[in-house]
Amino acid sequence: MSQDFLDFHIERLREKYPVYKNYQRYHIFTILCIKYFFFSEAGISFDQDIVEEYLTDGANDGGIDAIFNDPTSESNDVIIVQSKFYENTELGTDNVAGELYKINETLKKIQSNKVSEFNEKVVSAYRNATSQMEDNGSIRIVFFTSYQPKNKRERNKLDKSMRDYFGKYDLEMNFRSDIEAQIEMCDNGKLCVDYDKIIIDDKDNYLTYKDSVIVNISASSLQDLQNRRRNGLLGMNLRYYVRQKAVDTGIEKTIHEEPENFWYKNNGIVIICDDYKIDGKEIKLWNFSIVNGGQTTNRIGKIDIEKDFYLQCKVIKSEGTTTQMKDRFALDIAEATNSQKPIKKADLKANTPEQMRLKEQLNRYHVYYITKKGDKTPKQYSEPFQTATLEQVGKLGLAAVLQMPGSSRSNSQRMYNDEYYYSIFGNEAKAGVIADLLRLSYYYNKFVKTYIKDKGYDEKTVLPMMKNGRTFQYACIVFLCKINYGVFTYDTIAGMLNNTDDLKIVIRGMGNMEKLISVNLQNEEEIFMEIFSIIGDEVLGYCFETALYKAEEEQRTLAPSDYLKSDLNYYKDVIKRLWNRYKQNRKLNSDINLICRKEEIDK
């Protein structure tokens, strides 16, 4: 492939999304990389307007071309992008070091609130992204370049110069071949390699167990395979390569200093296949994927091997007579062999009985539920709210159903605790409610994107609540719906507002409530825009302003993101104010009652 490959995809992106028509090619290159590396998984939609807002490139950008939250991470990690689109110019280590130094200094200054020298987009994007990052999230710097090193030695030198520069941030460099491979993989969507072969250490040297086998494979042969097949080789893995500096350094050190001991010091790789055949010093593989050992494979694929060495390879033949049975078997093996690695918890839940049951139930509400990597939404599910991921449903459930909006925002991994998990995903799960929450999420995206602009909301209190208060909005709306559907009464919980343990038990109930929206509303979107506006202004904005005033009196700082991370603020402040506004604001009252198909209550 060549520069023409990227040129083609840049022009295709420009044609597909008219908003980018007048953008420079280097801007579209940045967007192209963001799209394919972060918005290519099923259930994660690419919104041309929202992604446009991620761009910070321009005068006084501090070396940062884009900032956003990683939609594929469990913790809403902050991604700092630097991209270099070169036609012919080489990329030297001095260029890399200079850019990274600039980014590092920029982040230091913004974190110290020394922002006068930077453009507003950089500062705003950074603050918005960090406010959305969960407590256990991280800031990652991702470097994209269309430059392709001449050989592995040059690549390793560039890669090392970048990784050694920082200790604080996770860093990743993607060259042209990496970008091309990612685009190909996403467009082709293959989860395995149909056929290839690997060299083993000696003729017919293998150890069998039932229909499976253990062999010692050549590192050079694995490197050739990795360079031919790229990420497609890891299609059935629970995750693609994730940089871990300590592990990467250890692998590289052993390869460089004592390759003959790599077999002893590395756990090797695991391959799942439909079939294999050992032919002399080759093992031939059909429909296969590496399900464990992605980090080892990646590092071997990118490093100079001066003297070949060997590593263990367990080749497991899939069991089962159907595709579904084979997929289940492959997932079980992947889960077991990756249990000590930082994989997504969502992947470990992918094919559990409760998830399969929920998938079937959501399908009745015209929602395609994606639980595992590689699943694609059928074309008939054309609306954004007709596709949902396991993590998306979990966060909505934590915020709205279980009434824990702070946890949903700042510690959403609590959804996997048994205490909460089965209420969200188990037999108690209400598919109709989840389907309606997906519609709310869709409307709220539009609310933040277009509705609140130029409305004159107070920029210190109300506007931050509008932009960042989505989990609280969902909780508030469902709270009022639960009362309307008779799950509990406000009088019941009024005396519990200072006893949150009892309160949480009562307000998590769902009773016989099967849906939020009971009727087909002609102006449904407009109604929810009104509800979001009233709650954001008169409830969340009011509560934050009160808390901010108290904090200033006590000479404390209180950021909007900090206020929204606390479930306690919802229980102690927001619920009481919400009920007050519901009783007093005729528009909020009538809109909620209309959604729940009730007449307006008497004043």
Side-chain angles (χ1 to χ4, degrees):
M1 295 182 191
S2 66
Q3 188 76 21
D4 292 341
F5 180 89
L6 293 178
D7 288 340
F8 169 79
H9 282 86
I10 285 171
E11 290 308 313
R12 191 170 75 167
L13 197 68
R14 197 199 300 266
E15 291 171 5
K16 186 175 182 180
Y17 302 104
V19 70
Y20 305 141
K21 182 179 180 181
N22 297 320
Y23 271 52
Q24 297 294 324
R25 283 155 54 78
Y26 59 84
H27 282 135
I28 301 181
F29 172 70
T30 302
I31 295 169
L32 180 73
C33 294
I34 291 173
K35 179 181 187 295
Y36 277 98
F37 279 78
F38 297 98
F39 291 87
S40 60
E41 290 187 12
I44 301 176
S45 61
F46 177 83
D47 187 311
Q48 57 181 343
D49 296 318
I50 291 177
V51 172
E52 184 183 27
E53 294 179 3
Y54 298 158
L55 298 182
T56 58
D57 187 17
N60 305 316
D61 62 13
I64 299 174
D65 293 330
I67 305 177
F68 57 96
N69 295 101
D70 180 3
T72 69
S73 72
E74 292 181 323
S75 305
N76 277 354
D77 290 351
V78 173
I79 303 298
I80 308 290
V81 171
Q82 165 64 227
S83 69
K84 291 296 181 184
F85 183 66
Y86 294 107
E87 301 289 347
N88 299 303
T89 308
E90 293 189 7
L91 186 67
T93 55
D94 290 343
N95 302 114
V96 176
E99 293 296 340
L100 294 177
Y101 176 80
K102 192 175 182 181
I103 292 172
N104 192 34
E105 291 302 302
T106 298
L107 295 178
K108 282 181 182 178
K109 289 177 181 178
I110 293 178
Q111 289 162 1
S112 301
N113 208 30
K114 299 175 182 177
V115 299
S116 59
E117 65 186 88
F118 305 115
N119 70 51
E120 185 179 341
K121 288 195 74 173
V122 170
V123 178
S124 177
Y126 179 82
R127 287 176 173 168
N128 286 339
T130 51
S131 73
Q132 297 290 339
M133 182 174 68
E134 296 191 10
D135 290 344
N136 60 340
S138 61
I139 297 175
R140 291 154 45 202
I141 298 174
V142 182
F143 199 106
F144 295 109
T145 176
S146 60
Y147 176 68
Q148 181 61 31
K150 296 183 182 66
N151 49 48
K152 292 188 186 73
R153 191 176 299 278
E154 183 189 5
R155 178 189 178 114
N156 292 337
K157 184 179 179 182
L158 288 166
D159 200 30
K160 189 174 186 299
S161 71
M162 186 182 86
R163 288 191 287 123
D164 288 349
Y165 190 79
F166 288 110
K168 184 176 181 181
Y169 304 112
D170 293 324
L171 299 162
E172 177 185 336
M173 175 168 271
N174 297 285
F175 297 100
R176 190 183 72 219
S177 60
D178 302 307
I179 297 167
E180 290 173 347
Q182 180 73 6
I183 292 172
E184 278 198 303
M185 184 192 68
C186 294
D187 286 348
N188 294 335
K190 290 189 69 174
L191 288 181
C192 64
V193 177
D194 50 4
Y195 168 78
D196 220 307
K197 55 190 178 182
I198 311 175
I199 302 298
I200 62 176
D201 62 340
D202 204 355
K203 183 179 180 180
D204 297 328
N205 182 34
Y206 57 90
L207 174 67
T208 60
Y209 178 75
K210 295 185 179 180
D211 288 335
S212 300
V213 65
I214 296 176
V215 293
N216 302 315
I217 62 172
S218 155
S220 295
S221 180
L222 178 62
Q223 182 180 79
D224 290 341
L225 179 65
Q226 162 73 356
N227 291 335
R228 286 197 304 273
R229 300 296 188 167
R230 302 288 176 181
N231 275 347
L233 190 61
L234 301 174
M236 292 172 66
N237 205 326
L238 293 181
R239 74 241 185 267
Y240 294 121
Y241 167 65
V242 178
R243 183 181 301 286
Q244 290 178 281
K245 187 173 181 180
V247 177
D248 285 350
T249 301
I251 291 173
E252 292 171 16
K253 182 178 179 181
T254 303
I255 291 173
H256 286 310
E257 297 181 5
E258 44 180 341
E260 69 280 1
N261 289 328
F262 195 87
W263 190 93
Y264 299 106
K265 294 188 173 184
N266 186 274
N267 290 329
I269 65 173
V270 179
I271 290 176
I272 290 280
C273 65
D274 278 359
D275 202 1
Y276 69 88
K277 179 181 179 182
I278 295 177
D279 186 2
K281 291 188 68 172
E282 290 182 345
I283 179 165
K284 299 176 180 179
L285 301 153
W286 286 268
N287 295 326
F288 70 96
S289 171
I290 294 174
V291 297
N292 180 260
Q295 202 149 5
T296 295
T297 303
N298 181 277
R299 297 321 300 158
I300 287 177
K302 291 182 177 180
I303 211 163
D304 278 334
I305 298 177
E306 296 178 0
K307 181 181 178 182
D308 200 8
F309 58 92
Y310 295 90
L311 61 151
Q312 288 185 42
C313 176
K314 183 186 291 184
V315 179
I316 301 174
K317 187 175 178 179
S318 295
E319 293 184 358
T321 56
T322 66
T323 300
Q324 185 176 5
M325 291 171 67
K326 289 181 178 180
D327 285 349
R328 177 68 254 182
F329 177 77
L331 180 66
D332 287 343
I333 298 299
E335 288 178 7
T337 56
N338 281 282
S339 60
Q340 301 303 314
K341 305 290 182 66
I343 61 174
K344 282 188 173 185
K345 293 179 181 179
D347 292 319
L348 297 175
K349 297 290 187 180
N351 279 353
T352 55
E354 66 275 3
Q355 294 296 342
M356 293 299 98
R357 182 170 54 248
L358 183 57
K359 185 181 182 75
E360 181 181 345
Q361 291 172 345
L362 283 171
N363 193 51
R364 297 172 191 166
Y365 290 92
H366 309 291
V367 172
Y368 193 78
Y369 185 42
I370 295 173
T371 62
K372 63 178 181 177
K373 184 178 64 182
D375 202 356
K376 299 293 183 183
T377 307
K379 291 182 179 179
Q380 63 264 34
Y381 298 88
S382 56
E383 297 291 347
F385 49 79
Q386 290 183 310
T387 297
T389 64
L390 189 154
E391 290 172 289
Q392 185 181 14
V393 169
K395 288 181 179 181
L396 286 170
L398 200 61
V401 175
L402 298 187
Q403 295 284 287
M404 298 168 66
S407 293
S408 179
R409 177 185 170 83
S410 64
N411 188 16
S412 64
Q413 298 309 291
R414 296 180 76 179
M415 75 173 81
Y416 299 109
N417 295 352
D418 286 350
E419 180 183 358
Y420 312 119
Y421 175 82
Y422 291 100
S423 295
I424 299 172
F425 300 106
N427 291 331
E428 303 173 40
K430 309 285 188 176
V433 172
I434 293 171
D436 286 341
L437 284 171
L438 291 167
R439 296 178 77 89
L440 258 68
S441 177
Y442 169 71
Y443 291 142
Y444 201 79
N445 287 339
K446 297 185 74 172
F447 175 74
V448 173
K449 180 177 171 182
T450 59
Y451 188 86
I452 64 176
K453 290 184 177 179
D454 304 320
K455 288 290 195 298
Y457 292 120
D458 183 274
E459 294 188 2
K460 186 177 181 181
T461 55
V462 176
L463 198 59
M465 294 294 107
M466 296 285 198
K467 289 182 176 179
N468 303 307
R470 67 170 59 238
T471 59
F472 274 66
Q473 289 268 7
Y474 304 152
C476 287
I477 292 170
V478 173
F479 176 85
L480 294 177
C481 287
K482 286 184 178 185
I483 289 178
N484 269 275
Y485 287 119
V487 178
F488 53 78
T489 67
Y490 185 78
D491 289 342
T492 301
I493 61 101
M496 303 178 184
L497 294 179
N498 292 320
N499 185 346
T500 55
D501 289 338
D502 290 343
L503 175 68
K504 285 187 281 189
I505 294 172
V506 174
I507 64 176
R508 287 176 189 170
M510 292 297 289
N512 296 320
M513 181 176 167
E514 297 296 333
K515 286 180 66 64
L516 296 180
I517 308 170
S518 294
V519 293
N520 292 322
L521 302 170
Q522 286 187 339
N523 302 315
E524 185 173 283
E525 181 177 317
E526 181 181 335
I527 289 170
F528 278 105
M529 295 298 163
E530 289 174 347
I531 292 172
F532 294 146
S533 179
I534 294 169
I535 292 176
D537 185 8
E538 299 186 23
V539 179
L540 302 182
Y542 174 88
C543 289
F544 178 63
E545 184 177 17
T546 302
L548 186 61
Y549 178 76
K550 182 178 180 182
E552 290 173 346
E553 275 192 328
E554 298 172 353
Q555 297 184 327
R556 293 185 291 110
T557 58
L558 179 64
S561 58
D562 293 330
Y563 185 83
L564 292 168
K565 287 179 179 179
S566 170
D567 291 327
L568 201 59
N569 289 333
Y570 176 70
Y571 302 140
K572 289 186 173 297
D573 301 335
V574 174
I575 286 178
K576 185 183 297 185
R577 177 65 181 178
L578 175 66
W579 183 250
N580 173 276
R581 290 296 84 203
Y582 175 69
K583 298 288 287 183
Q584 299 298 322
N585 188 305
R586 182 171 292 272
K587 191 61 185 171
L588 177 62
N589 186 290
S590 63
D591 282 345
I592 293 292
N593 294 344
L594 182 61
I595 289 169
C596 300
R597 199 165 52 186
K598 288 185 62 176
E599 298 296 328
E600 181 178 348
I601 61 176
D602 295 332
K603 292 289 187 288

